[in-house]
Amino acid sequence: MAINYPNGKQFLIKTKIGKNDNSKPIKKVNYSNRGMSLEDFLNETNIYYMEHRIALIHKKPTPIQVVKVDYPQRSAAVIKEAYYKLASTTDYNGVFKGKYIDFEAKETNQQSFPLKNMHEHQIKHMKQVVEHGGIAFALIYFTSFEEIYLIPADRMIVFWERMISGGRKSVTRTEFAANGSLIKLGFLPRIDYLKEINHMFFEG
Amino acid sequence: MAINYPNGKQFLIKTKIGKNDNSKPIKKVNYSNRGMSLEDFLNETNIYYMEHRIALIHKKPTPIQVVKVDYPQRSAAVIKEAYYKLASTTDYNGVFKGKYIDFEAKETNQQSFPLKNMHEHQIKHMKQVVEHGGIAFALIYFTSFEEIYLIPADRMIVFWERMISGGRKSVTRTEFAANGSLIKLGFLPRIDYLKEINHMFFEG
């Protein structure tokens, strides 16, 4: 069995049956990143951080407005009518070295990141986090390039305000690279964003 | 108009029509606490903290497992079948003076607090928060007494472990008073738990 360690693309586990047979790999376990969403990567990463006692970061549940619930006898309540609500904060938060950590994660298959994928209240929330001494940022995943950028809140706010005042409605990868950090997809953890946060806010 | 400021019970706004009429209050705006849940009080409190730039604390949405969704044309997605899930963390978190804040809020109409109202994973979560340098605690509201106790995580964990090792399954108000702080219901903010947190963790 040969494991080709990840290079941001994919790797295979090849299992040979024996030495003398003209064997081909009989099992192809595909650990490709294809089909995995940013949320999947971040869930894995946050579990890694928790198990290795690096940090405690959780994704908030999706807010849902429940309208109608049935309570069948002897079984769990069944929600029969409900609607998705717009989140009033960012998706992820938690604690790292005592500090409050807060971020939003977005993915796009486009060449540049459309700012309409963020919401104004999320930008406002990031501003507030920074005001209270927390660490806020965005993670933007360009799926076609397998590139993830970590953008500190203050820079994300600048891009947002440029749009508000009539400027570009999107942010290019080059702009993100100049105003944030490229994080390569890894194996364990998948997206080591806290390494970058540690570097930016704790080592300075 | 006379406003009787709150004493933990109720107060009225009485509006007189004129001086010479034999008037009775024509409007009784009832600001009684009756019917208000701990969650209502905390929502008001957290809005107060946000608007006065004291802290940024949010309640996490209730986690719901969505099973079936309809997408009617030209209107919002309707969730047709879903179930409540057990939360994997505590209900409230946020940032205060840069620090990570995390707490669980519970109410009981009993004389002492039944520990079965907490879940083991919530206790575990509190332990982890403390390990990472965050501030974790529980707010326990005794509705019949209109008393709220703030109990730091380490004390809550002691009560929990006493139960696990075969001891009492509940915690009395006297025990909470000796191991935490009584917070009186107020007006603005309703439950000033951060005043106590500031005292415990920032003034020391």
Side-chain angles (χ1 to χ4, degrees):
Chain A
M1 191 170 83
I3 298 177
N4 301 308
Y5 278 94
N7 52 6
K9 296 276 192 275
Q10 84 174 73
F11 64 106
L12 306 172
I13 295 175
K14 296 174 183 175
T15 307
K16 290 191 176 181
I17 296 170
K19 277 183 176 175
N20 295 323
D21 57 356
N22 191 10
S23 62
K24 290 179 185 169
I26 54 163
K27 270 193 179 178
K28 267 195 185 178
V29 182
N30 190 343
Y31 286 97
S32 164
N33 299 323
R34 276 173 292 180
M36 283 194 76
S37 66
L38 181 56
E39 184 175 335
D40 295 330
F41 289 140
L42 288 172
N43 284 348
E44 281 189 12
T45 302
N46 291 335
I47 288 170
Y48 177 91
Y49 286 153
M50 183 164 73
E51 288 178 349
H52 291 74
R53 302 188 173 203
I54 293 166
L56 195 62
I57 314 277
H58 285 279
K59 183 177 184 296
K60 293 190 182 182
T62 308
I64 288 173
Q65 179 70 49
V66 174
V67 175
K68 198 178 146 202
V69 186
D70 273 9
Y71 297 94
Q73 274 195 320
R74 292 165 197 269
S75 53
V78 187
I79 297 163
K80 288 293 196 181
E81 186 186 349
Y83 299 89
Y84 291 105
K85 287 196 294 185
L86 206 58
S88 55
T89 65
T90 47
D91 269 357
Y92 294 85
N93 74 359
V95 56
F96 173 55
K97 296 185 172 181
K99 274 273 193 181
Y100 178 74
I101 299 289
D102 190 300
F103 66 96
E104 183 59 32
K106 296 284 186 197
E107 58 182 273
T108 180
N109 57 11
Q110 302 189 27
Q111 299 274 324
S112 64
F113 176 70
L115 284 163
K116 70 168 165 19
N117 290 8
M118 300 286 291
H119 302 290
E120 190 173 1
H121 57 268
Q122 292 179 321
I123 298 288
K124 190 186 160 200
H125 176 77
M126 282 184 179
K127 278 185 191 171
Q128 288 175 321
V129 170
V130 172
E131 239 180 65
H132 287 287
I135 294 172
F137 55 95
L139 289 177
I140 311 291
Y141 178 34
F142 288 90
T143 54
S144 319
F145 301 92
E146 292 204 338
E147 282 180 3
I148 295 156
Y149 291 91
L150 186 158
I151 317 294
D154 58 340
R155 301 307 177 97
M156 206 64 210
I157 292 163
V158 167
F159 291 129
W160 184 265
E161 286 173 351
R162 179 177 71 178
M163 176 188 69
I164 297 300
S165 53
R168 286 177 54 90
K169 289 183 171 59
S170 66
V171 185
T172 64
R173 286 158 57 226
T174 315
E175 286 179 313
F176 278 146
N179 289 277
S181 298
L182 174 62
I183 298 176
K184 287 194 181 124
L185 269 178
F187 182 48
L188 284 171
R190 285 288 198 174
I191 302 177
D192 197 359
Y193 60 90
L194 286 181
K195 188 178 168 190
E196 200 49 46
I197 290 299
N198 192 48
H199 181 65
M200 283 182 181
F201 292 90
F202 293 88
E203 290 174 348
Chain B
M1 188 171 81
I3 298 177
N4 301 309
Y5 279 94
N7 53 6
K9 296 278 192 274
Q10 83 173 75
F11 65 105
L12 306 171
I13 295 175
K14 295 173 182 177
T15 308
K16 289 192 174 180
I17 295 169
K19 279 183 175 177
N20 296 323
D21 59 354
N22 192 10
S23 62
K24 291 180 184 167
I26 54 162
K27 272 192 177 178
K28 269 196 182 177
V29 181
N30 190 340
Y31 287 97
S32 164
N33 298 325
R34 276 173 293 181
M36 283 193 75
S37 67
L38 180 56
E39 183 174 336
D40 295 330
F41 289 141
L42 288 172
N43 284 349
E44 282 190 11
T45 303
N46 291 335
I47 289 170
Y48 178 91
Y49 286 152
M50 185 165 72
E51 289 178 347
H52 291 74
R53 302 188 173 202
I54 293 165
L56 194 63
I57 314 279
H58 285 279
K59 183 177 185 295
K60 293 190 183 182
T62 307
I64 288 173
Q65 180 70 50
V66 175
V67 175
K68 198 179 146 202
V69 187
D70 273 9
Y71 298 94
Q73 274 196 322
R74 290 163 199 271
S75 53
V78 188
I79 296 162
K80 288 294 195 182
E81 185 187 348
Y83 299 89
Y84 291 106
K85 286 196 295 185
L86 206 58
S88 56
T89 65
T90 48
D91 269 357
Y92 295 85
N93 73 359
V95 56
F96 174 53
K97 296 184 172 182
K99 273 274 190 182
Y100 177 74
I101 299 289
D102 189 299
F103 65 96
E104 182 60 31
K106 296 284 186 198
E107 58 183 273
T108 180
N109 57 9
Q110 303 190 26
Q111 299 274 325
S112 64
F113 176 71
L115 284 163
K116 70 169 165 17
N117 291 7
M118 301 285 292
H119 302 289
E120 189 172 1
H121 57 267
Q122 291 178 321
I123 298 288
K124 188 186 162 200
H125 176 76
M126 283 185 179
K127 278 185 192 172
Q128 289 175 319
V129 169
V130 172
E131 239 180 64
H132 288 286
I135 295 172
F137 55 94
L139 289 176
I140 311 290
Y141 179 33
F142 289 89
T143 54
S144 319
F145 301 92
E146 293 205 338
E147 282 179 4
I148 294 155
Y149 292 91
L150 186 159
I151 317 294
D154 58 340
R155 301 308 177 96
M156 206 65 208
I157 291 163
V158 168
F159 291 129
W160 184 265
E161 286 174 350
R162 180 177 68 179
M163 177 188 69
I164 296 300
S165 53
R168 287 178 54 90
K169 288 183 173 57
S170 64
V171 185
T172 64
R173 286 158 56 229
T174 315
E175 286 179 313
F176 279 146
N179 290 277
S181 298
L182 175 62
I183 298 176
K184 287 196 182 121
L185 269 178
F187 183 47
L188 284 171
R190 286 286 196 177
I191 301 176
D192 198 358
Y193 60 91
L194 285 181
K195 188 179 167 189
E196 200 49 46
I197 291 299
N198 193 48
H199 181 64
M200 283 182 181
F201 293 90
F202 294 88
E203 290 174 348

